[in-house]
Amino acid sequence: MCETPLYEALMNHKNKDMSSFHTPGHKCRSYLEDAGLYMLDYTELKDTDSLFEAKGVIKKAEEKVAELYGAKSTLFSAGGCTLCIQAMLRLAVLYNGKVITSRMIHKSAVNTMALLGARPLWITPKFDEEKHLFRQVTSHEIRECLSQNKDAQCVYITSPNYYGELADIKAISSVCKEYDVPLLVDNAHGAHLGFLSSNQHPIYLGASMVADSAHKTLPVLTGGAFLHIKDERFIKEARYAMGLFGSTSPSYPIMASLDLCQDWARKRGKEEFIRLEGRVKEIKNLALKKGFIKEDQGIFDPLRICLNTGNFGISGEEAAEYFRKNKIEPEFSDGGYVVLIPSPMNTDRDFERLKDAILGFNMNGTFVDSNRPFPTPKIVVSLHEAIFMDRETINVKNAEGRISAIAICPCPPGIPVLVPGEEINSNAIKSLEHYGIFEIDVIK
Ligand SMILES: Cc1ncc(COP(=O)(O)O)c(C=O)c1O
């Protein structure tokens, strides 16, 4: 009998010796293994400072990160980007305040707005029929929404999205500045963007606050994240806002890995990421020749490898199995795409495997397009009220006309089918079934 099921599953996966093209960015093999982090699992002591009242060594380490990214202040999080998103929204939005946001949004932001009593004003992402992808929100869409809602308290966007598409932060931030409204960016997938040959980090491009899931693309332990603040108005209350949501026992090994990462990034980050850009370019050229990708239109993270297997009439899930058989573990797959996340911690062998797998790709399958346009449902009850109402679980088949009590946000594409308080219509039912969701919590 297996006495430690989780531990054994992790060891079994490790023993498969897969090449990791998924998060975390340290790829389970970085210099961190030598840093003795397990031995540093301390708590708040006289020598070790305290995250939510940082005045000593944590603050010093954070200041180094702020300098690296060009932020006025940076806070560490051991509670992932989720904690940074919670804090950002708490800082920028008062109770009942309006948030202009693309519907391309992570569940953590929807849930935070529900808890805070914020009112999202949704901008529905446009669907690109050719690429079978939802596209990024534009500065024109933001301007239009701001001009009709001058009392909005912030603009909140997710950039990059799961497929690596970046919003035009420079243009969006200048619109936000015109209206004197802060721009908050969920940059969970883009902590590395400041180290590319051309700096694409949202802090550099004019955002007011940015949440980075450092662990996704940098050599940082899972759970490690940065909250960067450029707009000085938010600095004073930032630790309080984070402390509202965070555990009072943040992990010191995670925080130490953030500190080690900033040192690595300052000394080697740029050089390592520029080298990685070259490697990924080679892979993308190969994929382009093979027909896996089309020329990019729009702004994309040069490091995100997004293979359009739908071009071959093959579902992303089937193709992902092919890659697994070839010892490559992708980040995710959907009806038409396989997405891979490389980092400087990937080895030559990882890239050789990937090249061979792309060159050898020759299979038949069935294309199931999972990305489809879907209109934003009608709001019947406020997001805030809906999460506090009595609920019941019912079969999706019987849900037409009922009101969702939860956020259902399949990732990818990272666009909620429903958020709490929205009416379930026949389109929503089709989408839920399509994503394999057959039961739903509704308001009683
Ligand atoms: C777009 C986006 N935002 C936020 C998060 C939350 O990040 P974390 O897992 O670091 O809390 C994720 C996680 O997958 C994400 O994909």
Side-chain angles (χ1 to χ4, degrees):
M1 199 183 68
C2 174
E3 294 188 348
T4 51
L6 172 59
Y7 179 75
E8 281 190 31
L10 291 169
M11 288 308 287
N12 286 341
H13 185 78
K14 191 162 192 62
N15 291 335
K16 283 188 185 169
D17 186 29
M18 304 291 278
S19 287
S20 160
F21 282 95
H22 54 84
T23 67
H26 61 66
K27 309 296 178 192
C28 300
R29 69 156 76 90
S30 75
Y31 63 93
L32 292 175
E33 278 165 28
D34 306 321
L37 290 177
Y38 202 68
M39 314 296 282
L40 300 179
D41 191 11
Y42 283 109
T43 184
E44 290 76 14
L45 305 170
K46 192 162 172 279
D47 290 334
T48 60
D49 207 357
S50 170
L51 180 60
F52 300 125
E53 295 89 29
K55 291 188 183 70
V57 285
I58 293 179
K59 191 155 187 288
K60 276 193 188 145
E62 289 173 336
E63 282 164 3
K64 285 179 185 286
V65 179
E67 196 190 321
L68 191 62
Y69 283 90
K72 290 268 161 43
S73 171
T74 294
L75 268 65
F76 282 2
S77 158
C81 196
T82 299
L83 183 57
C84 304
I85 288 169
Q86 290 167 327
M88 265 194 326
L89 284 165
R90 170 60 188 81
L91 286 165
V93 193
L94 297 172
Y95 187 74
N96 224 13
K98 289 182 182 171
V99 177
I100 292 179
T101 177
S102 163
R103 184 92 173 176
M104 193 176 274
I105 191 168
H106 191 253
K107 199 171 163 175
S108 56
V110 176
N111 289 337
T112 306
M113 286 194 276
L115 284 169
L116 293 174
R119 281 185 292 155
L121 304 175
W122 300 114
I123 298 175
T124 306
K126 297 267 178 324
F127 189 69
D128 180 334
E129 294 286 347
E130 200 202 333
K131 286 204 160 197
H132 291 274
L133 280 182
F134 290 94
R135 304 307 300 248
Q136 274 290 2
V137 65
T138 65
S139 57
H140 304 292
E141 289 168 314
I142 300 278
R143 179 186 291 287
E144 198 185 329
C145 203
L146 270 170
S147 67
Q148 288 160 17
N149 295 280
K150 297 208 172 73
D151 56 342
Q153 293 184 350
C154 70
V155 169
Y156 179 96
I157 62 173
T158 304
S159 171
N161 64 17
Y162 290 88
Y163 303 91
E165 190 180 7
L166 305 169
D168 186 347
I169 306 279
K170 213 171 174 176
I172 294 175
S173 73
S174 81
V175 173
C176 290
K177 278 177 192 135
E178 258 179 61
Y179 285 84
D180 194 24
V181 168
L183 171 64
L184 279 45
V185 183
D186 171 356
N187 182 49
H189 291 262
H192 60 286
L193 293 174
F195 311 124
L196 300 180
S197 47
S198 133
N199 190 342
Q200 298 282 348
H201 195 277
I203 277 289
Y204 177 74
L205 297 174
S208 314
M209 282 191 272
V210 177
D212 283 0
S213 239
H215 64 94
K216 288 197 198 300
T217 53
L218 299 176
V220 163
L221 289 182
T222 297
F226 300 129
L227 169 60
H228 303 292
I229 305 174
K230 188 84 175 202
D231 185 331
E232 278 167 299
R233 281 179 290 178
F234 299 120
I235 294 177
K236 188 166 163 275
E237 296 277 305
R239 279 189 208 281
Y240 157 76
M242 240 195 193
L244 264 184
F245 298 97
S247 160
T248 53
S249 305
S251 155
Y252 272 83
I254 294 175
M255 291 191 283
S257 81
L258 290 169
D259 189 21
L260 287 168
C261 174
Q262 63 76 15
D263 185 50
W264 172 86
R266 258 183 312 114
K267 292 175 180 155
R268 289 165 43 198
K270 192 106 193 164
E271 170 199 333
E272 296 250 8
F273 273 103
I274 288 174
R275 184 161 160 264
L276 183 63
E277 270 184 74
R279 291 190 124 168
V280 172
K281 202 167 178 188
E282 254 180 66
I283 297 282
K284 285 194 179 179
N285 283 339
L286 209 63
L288 199 69
K289 277 193 202 133
K290 195 80 189 171
F292 265 129
I293 44 181
K294 295 183 181 149
E295 293 286 0
D296 286 344
Q297 299 147 326
I299 331 167
F300 280 80
D301 171 2
L303 297 187
R304 187 62 49 118
I305 304 172
C306 190
L307 304 175
N308 186 347
T309 62
N311 273 353
F312 289 87
I314 295 163
S315 79
E317 283 92 4
E318 286 172 309
E321 275 313 308
Y322 164 83
F323 282 106
R324 281 189 197 102
K325 281 194 191 117
N326 285 277
K327 294 254 172 215
I328 286 152
E329 190 68 46
E331 169 70 10
F332 71 76
S333 52
D334 64 13
Y337 283 89
V338 174
V339 173
L340 304 146
I341 303 184
S343 95
M345 301 301 148
N346 280 112
T347 60
D348 292 347
R349 191 182 64 155
D350 293 338
F351 283 103
E352 283 310 315
R353 281 178 172 175
L354 184 55
K355 259 190 225 165
D356 290 346
I358 290 176
L359 279 172
F361 192 84
N362 178 20
M363 60 189 286
N364 296 316
T366 30
F367 172 49
V368 194
D369 187 8
S370 61
N371 280 330
R372 298 184 283 143
F374 170 68
T376 300
K378 193 168 118 198
I379 300 165
V380 182
V381 174
S382 84
L383 181 60
H384 182 61
E385 280 172 307
I387 61 164
F388 297 103
M389 291 170 104
D390 205 4
R391 62 180 60 199
E392 61 180 335
T393 306
I394 62 167
N395 194 304
V396 163
K397 277 194 177 29
N398 307 323
E400 189 159 355
R402 301 293 299 268
I403 301 164
S404 181
I406 51 166
I408 298 188
C409 188
C411 293
I415 298 169
V417 176
L418 288 159
V419 306
E422 287 179 344
E423 188 175 78
I424 305 169
N425 57 26
S426 58
N427 274 329
I429 292 178
K430 271 190 224 141
S431 272
L432 292 170
E433 288 178 340
H434 178 80
Y435 289 117
I437 298 162
F438 301 107
E439 285 196 327
I440 182 165
D441 283 5
V442 293
I443 291 172
K444 252 187 176 171

Short mmCIF file of all heavy atoms in Angstrom, two decimals, residues 79-82 85 106 108 158 162 186 188-189 213 215-216, ligand 1:
data_model
loop_
_atom_site.label_atom_id
_atom_site.label_comp_id
_atom_site.label_asym_id
_atom_site.label_seq_id
_atom_site.Cartn_x
_atom_site.Cartn_y
_atom_site.Cartn_z
N GLY A 79 2.55 33.88 -1.58
CA GLY A 79 1.20 33.36 -1.85
C GLY A 79 0.85 33.53 -3.32
O GLY A 79 -0.31 33.73 -3.67
N GLY A 80 1.86 33.46 -4.17
CA GLY A 80 1.65 33.52 -5.61
C GLY A 80 1.23 34.89 -6.08
O GLY A 80 1.16 35.87 -5.31
N CYS A 81 0.95 34.94 -7.38
CA CYS A 81 0.49 36.16 -8.01
C CYS A 81 -0.92 36.49 -7.49
O CYS A 81 -1.33 37.64 -7.44
CB CYS A 81 0.45 35.90 -9.51
SG CYS A 81 0.35 37.31 -10.53
N THR A 82 -1.64 35.45 -7.08
CA THR A 82 -2.99 35.63 -6.54
C THR A 82 -2.97 36.67 -5.42
O THR A 82 -3.80 37.59 -5.40
CB THR A 82 -3.51 34.26 -6.01
OG1 THR A 82 -3.56 33.37 -7.11
CG2 THR A 82 -4.88 34.39 -5.36
N ILE A 85 -2.50 40.12 -6.81
CA ILE A 85 -3.72 40.60 -7.48
C ILE A 85 -4.72 41.07 -6.42
O ILE A 85 -5.36 42.13 -6.55
CB ILE A 85 -4.31 39.47 -8.36
CG1 ILE A 85 -3.41 39.26 -9.58
CG2 ILE A 85 -5.75 39.76 -8.76
CD1 ILE A 85 -3.72 38.01 -10.38
N HIS A 106 -8.16 36.16 -14.87
CA HIS A 106 -7.98 34.97 -14.02
C HIS A 106 -9.03 34.96 -12.90
O HIS A 106 -9.44 36.02 -12.42
CB HIS A 106 -6.57 34.98 -13.43
CG HIS A 106 -6.17 33.72 -12.77
ND1 HIS A 106 -6.07 33.58 -11.40
CD2 HIS A 106 -5.86 32.52 -13.30
CE1 HIS A 106 -5.69 32.34 -11.11
NE2 HIS A 106 -5.54 31.68 -12.25
N SER A 108 -8.74 34.40 -9.87
CA SER A 108 -8.34 35.07 -8.61
C SER A 108 -8.82 36.53 -8.62
O SER A 108 -9.21 37.06 -7.57
CB SER A 108 -6.83 35.00 -8.42
OG SER A 108 -6.16 35.56 -9.52
N THR A 158 -5.10 41.62 -18.23
CA THR A 158 -4.22 40.46 -18.12
C THR A 158 -3.33 40.44 -19.35
O THR A 158 -3.82 40.29 -20.47
CB THR A 158 -5.06 39.17 -18.06
OG1 THR A 158 -5.98 39.29 -16.97
CG2 THR A 158 -4.18 37.94 -17.85
N TYR A 162 -2.54 33.49 -22.00
CA TYR A 162 -1.95 32.14 -21.95
C TYR A 162 -1.17 31.80 -23.21
O TYR A 162 -0.27 30.97 -23.19
CB TYR A 162 -3.03 31.09 -21.73
CG TYR A 162 -3.61 31.18 -20.35
CD1 TYR A 162 -4.67 32.02 -20.07
CD2 TYR A 162 -3.04 30.44 -19.30
CE1 TYR A 162 -5.17 32.13 -18.79
CE2 TYR A 162 -3.54 30.55 -18.02
CZ TYR A 162 -4.60 31.39 -17.78
OH TYR A 162 -5.08 31.51 -16.51
N ASP A 186 -2.21 42.21 -14.60
CA ASP A 186 -1.89 40.85 -14.19
C ASP A 186 -0.86 40.34 -15.19
O ASP A 186 -1.20 39.94 -16.31
CB ASP A 186 -3.17 39.99 -14.22
CG ASP A 186 -2.85 38.50 -14.02
OD1 ASP A 186 -1.67 38.14 -13.95
OD2 ASP A 186 -3.81 37.70 -13.95
N ALA A 188 1.09 37.77 -14.71
CA ALA A 188 1.49 36.48 -14.12
C ALA A 188 2.49 35.75 -15.01
O ALA A 188 3.45 35.18 -14.54
CB ALA A 188 0.25 35.62 -13.88
N HIS A 189 2.24 35.80 -16.33
CA HIS A 189 3.08 35.01 -17.25
C HIS A 189 4.27 35.80 -17.80
O HIS A 189 4.93 35.32 -18.72
CB HIS A 189 2.22 34.48 -18.41
CG HIS A 189 1.25 33.44 -17.95
ND1 HIS A 189 1.50 32.09 -18.08
CD2 HIS A 189 0.06 33.53 -17.32
CE1 HIS A 189 0.49 31.40 -17.56
NE2 HIS A 189 -0.40 32.26 -17.09
N SER A 213 3.91 36.60 -11.53
CA SER A 213 4.08 35.25 -10.97
C SER A 213 5.53 34.85 -11.24
O SER A 213 5.82 34.15 -12.20
CB SER A 213 3.18 34.26 -11.72
OG SER A 213 2.29 33.62 -10.90
N HIS A 215 7.41 32.73 -10.17
CA HIS A 215 7.69 31.29 -10.25
C HIS A 215 7.37 30.68 -11.61
O HIS A 215 7.86 29.61 -11.93
CB HIS A 215 6.94 30.53 -9.14
CG HIS A 215 5.44 30.59 -9.24
ND1 HIS A 215 4.72 29.62 -9.88
CD2 HIS A 215 4.55 31.48 -8.76
CE1 HIS A 215 3.43 29.92 -9.79
NE2 HIS A 215 3.29 31.05 -9.12
N LYS A 216 6.55 31.38 -12.41
CA LYS A 216 6.16 30.76 -13.68
C LYS A 216 7.30 30.75 -14.70
O LYS A 216 7.48 29.78 -15.41
CB LYS A 216 4.95 31.48 -14.30
CG LYS A 216 3.65 31.21 -13.54
CD LYS A 216 2.47 31.58 -14.40
CE LYS A 216 1.20 31.77 -13.59
NZ LYS A 216 0.77 30.58 -12.84
C1 LIG B 1 -3.21 34.89 -15.85
C2 LIG B 1 -2.99 34.40 -14.45
N1 LIG B 1 -3.15 35.26 -13.43
C3 LIG B 1 -2.95 34.90 -12.15
C4 LIG B 1 -2.59 33.61 -11.83
C5 LIG B 1 -2.38 33.24 -10.40
O1 LIG B 1 -1.01 33.06 -10.18
P1 LIG B 1 -0.45 32.23 -8.94
O2 LIG B 1 -0.67 30.80 -9.27
O3 LIG B 1 1.00 32.62 -8.90
O4 LIG B 1 -1.18 32.65 -7.74
C6 LIG B 1 -2.42 32.67 -12.86
C7 LIG B 1 -2.07 31.28 -12.55
O5 LIG B 1 -2.07 30.40 -13.34
C8 LIG B 1 -2.62 33.08 -14.20
O6 LIG B 1 -2.49 32.22 -15.21
#
